[in-house]
Amino acid sequence: MQMSEKDVAALVKEISGSDVKKCMKCGKCSATCPAYGEMRFHPHQFVAMVARGRVEELLKDPTVTRCLSCFACVERCPRGVEPANVVAAIRVLAEREQEGNNFSPADVPKLLSQDPEIPQQALVSAFRKYRK
Amino acid sequence: MQPGVVFAQDYQYMCSEAGQNIIKDAIKTHGLTGVVVCSCSPRMHEATFRKAAAQAGLNPFMVEIANIREHCSWIHKDKEEGTEKACVLMRAAVAKVTLNAPLKAGESKVVKRALVIGGGIAGIQTALDIADAGFPVDIVEKNATIGGRMAQLDKTFPTLDCSSCILTPKMVEAKANENIRLITYAEVEEVSGFVGSFKAKIRKKARFVKEDVCTGCGVCMSKCPSKKGLNEFNMGLNNRSAIYIPFAQAIPNVAVIDKEQCIKLKTGKCGLCQKVCTAGAIDYTQQDEFIEEEYGAIVMATGFRPIDASKFDEYSYSTCKDVVTSLELERIMNAAGPTGGVLLRPSDGKHPHSIVFIQCVGSRDVSGRGKPYCSKICCMYTAKHAMLIRDKYPDVEVHVFYIDVRTPGKNFDEFYRRAAEQYDVDYIKGQVGKVYEENGQLVVRGVDLISNEQIVLNADMVVLATAIEPDPTARKVANMLTASIDTNDFITEAHPKLRPVESPTAGIFLSGVCQGPKDIPETVSQAGAAASKVIGLLAKDKLTTNPCVAHSDELLCNGCSCCEKVCPYSAISYETKLINDHGVKETRRVAMVNEALCQGCGACTVVCPSGAMDLKGFSNKQIMAEVDAICL
Ligand SMILES: Cc1cc2nc3c(=O)[nH]c(=O)nc-3n(C[C@H](O)[C@H](O)[C@H](O)COP(=O)(O)OP(=O)(O)OC[C@H]3O[C@@H](n4cnc5c(N)ncnc54)[C@H](O)[C@@H]3O)c2cc1C
Ligand code: SF4
Ligand code: SF4
Ligand code: SF4
Ligand code: SF4
């Protein structure tokens, strides 16, 4: 069944467990993010996009994987929004769209060849998230 | 040492008790006839030092202050130059003090009655508090009822209680309180006098209905054939009859005839209301009445109005009926409003499904179309409107465009966050550039600065959080009271931090939005503060007057009237009297200064062509001595 963009956004919220409406657009997450320059959409932006139900572009954006899962944004967000969890949820869904709910070690060399600079921590984080 | 100086001492905290004791001891030990304190501005501590001198037996007006802080150390980067200037200022003060004469403050009476101009929540609360302290107070309200803007509001942030439910008891109390006299449908026309004894002339406009006879039954309203008057209370969203009671809870609950709309008053025909009024209250021959009264204190509480939103053409306010102001929305949401409290859009009475709010319409705008200041209340009332709509009509999508959301105040930010988080109000950081109609559909084009994209939304209604401005009569009233007013027509405080409810003009106090934008909680606290100042004044039996006033030398005055023309306080009058100029007797017209009115500004002394006018404590001789000390 094809899900609407709004439904996908709702799923992102559910998976992330983050209440994106709590965001007051202060930008502290983006100010703190070490991967800011590597991501097309910055933490405050992807939070706002999910809040507005605009996730399609995020799901298509390969640079969301650049999040280091350092959780600095989660730590410092004054409203407890947890942007890192939002981006993680986006990645889960992007992965799911590609090949089910799995992430196999065999994929790693391919991923690395596509993007040799992919952060190690992202892979670790992805394994944690996508492997049952 | 300067000539005349017999004792000098340096001390860091001269204003402290120890410092004051140094002054007192020196006066006694050295038998000083004058004291110069080189310190901060006289606005800070002149009173302190004068009091200390008086305690040591010296006339307090023999103390002079050289301001070497604000005028020297705080503003000059070059220490040498600053020090030199400080020495010069000290020399000037010494030169002056040797010419000082002992002055004695006079006394003036205090009329124990207060006047409150404006009967909104500010004026009502101030009057109630003054009355409660036992002083009589008159409220002069230009409209037919008291209540002001608060009466037009539906619910009030941050607690969402019904506005009229909390206002009506106060209005009723104002009417019932025996110390309060309500003078409605009236305006103050003239004010003279000074603190403690002002005289006001009040015009009570003809209502064409006898106030003490009308029972407020409203039969006249239903029978009146002229029903085209715009209902001001409902912001012109519907019509009312020519004879009307502004709203159900109006105080006084008495009808008034709009003479522009009444057929009888315009053409002589009709007279229906008189026929149906069983109480016999209608009187087409009623004339304006004048009331003259004396007051010890006057409070300005003239409030505000929203600016005209049609100046912002890009929002299509004047062309699209479904673009409304926030105050109009208050009426649309109110059970006593034009739609009976049902949210219906004005153009076709249909239920809207999508509403866009635009904040800061005309606020923080220096283009000349709007106001440079933040109107302070609109972020909060917009959150209120958005929340109330989402609560009552969950099917309605609500978007709010904002530049900043400003919610300082107890429980205010929590309130706004509730709108965004619990009620799913879509807050978009960015402004709206244009609202237009396309094939019968309102379209809003704005920007989302977070996602950095232009947003085009279809809306069924657009609500403009319009800036507020002082009531248009504020400037006139302020001029009448010689109260100062700023470039935005808000009344100026005597000190923005330390004397926020007093005008620089003695005896004039400020209450409510006439001083600056504020919400109801702030208005009410300020109203109470103004009342306490008034009570403090009225509780006195006598006031000491400033002895530094002008006086004219009869022998020099030629009665030219120059001084009278420049006096901003109307303190100068003329008397024709017999003058004995060293044996030469002559009857001449000479200037007389009313010492109670004179504020010692000195304008008269500089215009007087014959040098007859002089200011006590600041005589021409003293000023010239200062100038000489500085320049020579
Ligand atoms: C859309 C909107 C929603 C709002 N919602 C809220 C809310 O939810 N909560 C909240 O706390 N605040 C709210 N406010 C603010 C609130 O309305 C004001 O704080 C309050 O009304 C200020 O009272 P006031 O007495 O100073 O002025 P006003 O209410 O304007 O009263 C002034 C009175 O003086 C009279 N007057 C003016 N000039 C003269 C004159 N020359 N002679 C005699 N009488 C004169 C006027 O007729 C009027 O009756 C809202 C304001 C707006 C515009
Ligand atoms: S967790 Fe990701 S989004 Fe958050 S600060 Fe770290 S890198 Fe940036
Ligand atoms: S730090 Fe939190 S509140 Fe601030 S922009 Fe990021 S998610 Fe929003
Ligand atoms: S006399 Fe005037 S106010 Fe009275 S019913 Fe006729 S039109 Fe209305
Ligand atoms: S209170 Fe809010 S909407 Fe009103 S002018 Fe200030 S910032 Fe703008």
Side-chain angles (χ1 to χ4, degrees):
Chain A
M1 186 192 75
Q2 189 65 35
M3 277 171 48
S4 74
E5 195 179 7
K6 274 226 150 67
D7 292 337
V8 182
L11 200 56
V12 172
K13 290 180 213 165
E14 193 188 320
I15 297 173
S16 65
S18 157
D19 187 352
V20 285
K21 276 188 289 176
K22 282 203 222 150
C23 170
M24 61 182 182
K25 303 174 172 62
C26 71
K28 196 161 181 184
C29 47
S30 291
T32 217
C33 176
Y36 181 90
E38 321 251 315
M39 297 192 286
R40 184 168 151 229
F41 298 110
H42 311 309
H44 73 282
Q45 285 177 310
F46 57 67
V47 167
M49 287 165 84
V50 172
R52 311 208 70 221
R54 302 267 313 276
V55 287
E56 225 144 67
E57 247 180 309
L58 275 174
L59 286 168
K60 278 192 247 140
D61 173 24
T63 67
V64 288
T65 58
R66 289 320 196 94
C67 163
L68 297 163
S69 297
C70 71
F71 288 82
C73 52
V74 175
E75 198 60 34
R76 291 180 195 153
C77 167
R79 310 251 354 140
V81 172
E82 307 182 342
N85 293 344
V86 174
V87 91
I90 298 272
R91 286 195 301 225
V92 172
L93 287 178
E95 280 301 323
R96 279 187 193 169
E97 265 184 17
Q98 281 166 28
E99 40 188 306
N101 194 16
N102 284 310
F103 183 36
S104 133
D107 299 333
V108 174
K110 196 178 116 215
L111 272 177
L112 281 175
S113 71
Q114 276 171 3
D115 182 358
E117 282 179 30
I118 198 160
Q120 197 63 34
Q121 218 171 347
L123 293 174
V124 176
S125 173
F127 274 114
R128 263 196 219 120
K129 288 255 173 186
Y130 312 143
R131 294 267 301 182
K132 296 285 159 202
Chain B
M1 266 207 259
Q2 286 294 113
V5 178
V6 295
F7 176 77
Q9 166 135 20
D10 184 24
Y11 187 70
Q12 193 172 7
Y13 299 110
M14 209 39 119
C15 56
S16 69
E17 194 160 341
Q20 292 181 47
N21 284 336
I22 294 175
I23 297 177
K24 288 188 213 167
D25 291 344
I27 292 173
K28 287 182 196 144
T29 324
H30 301 276
L32 302 181
T33 53
V35 172
V36 171
V37 185
C38 302
S39 62
C40 60
S41 159
R43 293 191 68 138
M44 286 296 293
H45 279 303
E46 188 176 64
T48 314
F49 295 126
R50 280 189 172 165
K51 210 155 139 202
Q55 282 163 357
L58 184 68
N59 183 286
F61 293 92
M62 302 307 284
V63 175
E64 285 298 327
I65 305 228
N67 181 357
I68 61 168
R69 185 176 74 172
E70 284 86 344
H71 287 178
C72 302
S73 62
W74 277 6
I75 52 158
H76 293 297
K77 290 224 165 69
D78 185 326
K79 215 169 164 180
E80 302 263 302
E81 269 180 13
T83 308
E84 201 180 311
K85 181 172 167 192
C87 295
V88 166
L89 291 184
M90 178 274 293
R91 278 205 299 277
V94 170
K96 182 177 179 219
V97 82
T98 51
L99 296 172
N100 276 19
L103 297 175
K104 195 171 175 320
E107 279 183 341
S108 64
K109 67 168 181 177
V110 180
V111 177
K112 298 197 179 271
R113 172 183 283 276
L115 168 64
V116 173
I117 305 176
I121 181 61
I124 294 174
Q125 187 62 49
T126 303
L128 284 173
D129 290 348
I130 297 171
D132 209 29
F135 295 108
V137 42
D138 292 351
I139 300 181
V140 172
E141 165 57 55
K142 69 172 173 180
N143 287 338
T145 170
I146 57 170
R149 296 284 169 206
M150 188 176 165
Q152 292 179 289
L153 306 182
D154 181 40
K155 308 266 186 316
T156 53
F157 66 74
T159 42
L160 294 182
D161 27 16
C162 138
S163 191
S164 59
C165 308
I166 55 175
L167 176 65
T168 311
K170 293 226 178 252
M171 292 167 61
V172 172
E173 213 182 316
K175 165 117 182 120
N177 193 309
E178 53 190 27
N179 276 331
I180 299 180
R181 173 166 61 156
L182 297 179
I183 310 175
T184 52
Y185 213 47
E187 271 177 68
V188 179
E189 295 240 308
E190 266 174 51
V191 175
S192 61
F194 48 90
V195 55
S197 73
F198 292 105
K199 268 196 198 72
K201 183 171 167 199
I202 299 156
R203 177 193 288 269
K204 199 164 162 30
K205 293 170 274 186
R207 273 180 183 260
F208 306 104
V209 175
K210 292 178 210 143
E211 212 174 308
D212 45 349
V213 177
C214 172
T215 61
C217 70
V219 176
C220 51
M221 291 159 68
S222 56
K223 291 287 182 311
C224 172
S226 163
K227 295 211 187 307
K228 293 238 171 61
L230 283 185
N231 187 337
E232 300 88 348
F233 182 67
N234 283 336
M235 298 307 291
L237 289 168
N238 63 357
N239 296 334
R240 57 153 172 76
S241 41
I243 186 162
Y244 68 103
I245 299 176
F247 52 93
Q249 300 90 338
I251 299 273
N253 187 20
V254 169
V256 52
I257 295 182
D258 175 349
K259 63 178 177 198
E260 306 304 324
Q261 296 293 331
C262 170
I263 303 164
K264 169 86 180 173
L265 290 173
K266 283 200 310 198
T267 67
K269 296 192 193 94
C270 186
L272 261 178
C273 51
Q274 193 171 47
K275 286 188 201 107
V276 298
C277 178
T278 47
I282 313 289
D283 173 7
Y284 301 116
T285 64
Q286 212 176 57
Q287 300 288 321
D288 289 3
E289 267 174 57
F290 290 94
I291 299 173
E292 292 196 24
E293 188 69 72
E294 281 196 43
Y295 301 99
I298 301 181
V299 182
M300 239 186 112
T302 47
F304 72 100
R305 66 172 183 185
I307 65 163
D308 177 9
S310 54
K311 276 194 259 178
F312 292 82
D313 237 8
E314 64 268 39
Y315 297 140
S316 301
Y317 174 74
S318 30
T319 46
C320 302
K321 277 188 151 177
D322 296 331
V323 179
V324 300
T325 68
S326 299
L327 199 50
E328 287 164 10
L329 184 71
E330 290 281 349
R331 297 314 305 148
I332 293 174
M333 307 268 290
N334 189 265
T339 56
V342 185
L343 179 64
L344 299 174
R345 59 178 199 181
S347 65
D348 55 8
K350 284 202 183 122
H351 173 69
H353 294 282
S354 159
I355 302 186
V356 169
F357 285 84
I358 307 175
Q359 293 196 174
C360 293
V361 174
S363 293
R364 312 165 72 191
D365 179 318
V366 292
S367 69
R369 290 192 297 168
K371 302 286 169 183
Y373 48 83
C374 163
S375 298
K376 201 171 177 181
I377 51 175
C378 12
C379 281
M380 278 300 282
Y381 70 56
T382 298
K384 169 183 78 173
H385 293 154
M387 196 187 301
L388 288 171
I389 289 174
R390 291 280 307 153
D391 186 48
K392 214 165 160 191
Y393 310 98
D395 64 301
V396 181
E397 248 181 59
V398 176
H399 309 272
V400 178
F401 283 89
Y402 68 93
I403 306 175
D404 301 292
V405 178
R406 300 180 162 182
T407 49
K410 193 165 155 185
N411 294 325
F412 280 19
D413 205 67
E414 294 90 324
F415 181 86
Y416 141 62
R417 291 311 309 168
R418 198 140 57 92
E421 293 171 29
Q422 280 176 30
Y423 288 90
D424 252 327
V425 175
D426 175 30
Y427 272 84
I428 305 168
K429 162 115 186 124
Q431 258 297 23
V432 169
K434 204 172 162 70
V435 176
Y436 52 98
E437 216 172 308
E438 205 171 60
N439 308 323
Q441 171 70 55
L442 268 185
V443 185
V444 177
R445 201 170 72 206
V447 70
D448 180 341
L449 292 174
I450 301 292
S451 63
N452 236 338
E453 59 192 351
Q454 213 174 49
I455 295 190
V456 180
L457 286 172
N458 283 348
D460 296 331
M461 265 177 92
V462 172
V463 184
L464 309 178
T466 349
I468 57 172
E469 64 183 356
D471 189 275
T473 62
R475 184 161 281 272
K476 197 181 85 196
V477 177
N479 285 345
M480 209 153 57
L481 302 175
T482 64
S484 23
I485 191 163
D486 69 18
T487 47
N488 297 313
D489 280 6
F490 287 115
I491 314 301
T492 319
E493 322 78 345
H495 188 289
K497 279 157 267 180
L498 302 178
R499 293 172 68 195
V501 297
E502 296 155 78
S503 144
T505 307
I508 307 293
F509 302 89
L510 325 171
S511 178
V513 178
C514 69
Q515 178 260 343
K518 49 180 76 65
D519 54 32
I520 299 163
E522 235 188 303
T523 298
V524 171
S525 349
Q526 201 207 18
S532 81
K533 292 284 167 195
V534 170
I535 295 163
L537 171 61
L538 298 190
K540 293 191 178 113
D541 290 323
K542 292 255 179 287
L543 294 175
T544 46
T545 54
N546 170 20
C548 297
V549 289
H551 72 109
S552 98
D553 185 337
E554 291 178 349
L555 299 183
L556 297 178
C557 175
N558 62 18
C560 69
S561 288
C562 286
C563 52
E564 184 196 21
K565 286 185 200 123
V566 298
C567 177
Y569 304 98
S570 313
I572 298 170
S573 56
Y574 295 88
E575 204 171 286
T576 304
K577 62 190 266 194
L578 187 68
I579 309 286
N580 183 345
D581 188 351
H582 302 94
V584 184
K585 289 193 182 149
E586 191 186 9
T587 302
R588 265 196 286 140
R589 180 174 179 269
V590 290
M592 305 288 289
V593 176
N594 180 334
E595 297 201 346
L597 282 179
C598 173
Q599 303 287 312
C601 73
C604 52
T605 66
V606 285
V607 299
C608 176
S610 37
M613 206 44 108
D614 217 349
L615 201 58
K616 291 183 198 162
F618 294 91
S619 67
N620 295 331
K621 238 167 104 188
Q622 286 173 300
I623 298 203
M624 287 321 289
E626 284 186 285
V627 174
D628 286 347
I630 291 170
C631 304
L632 296 183

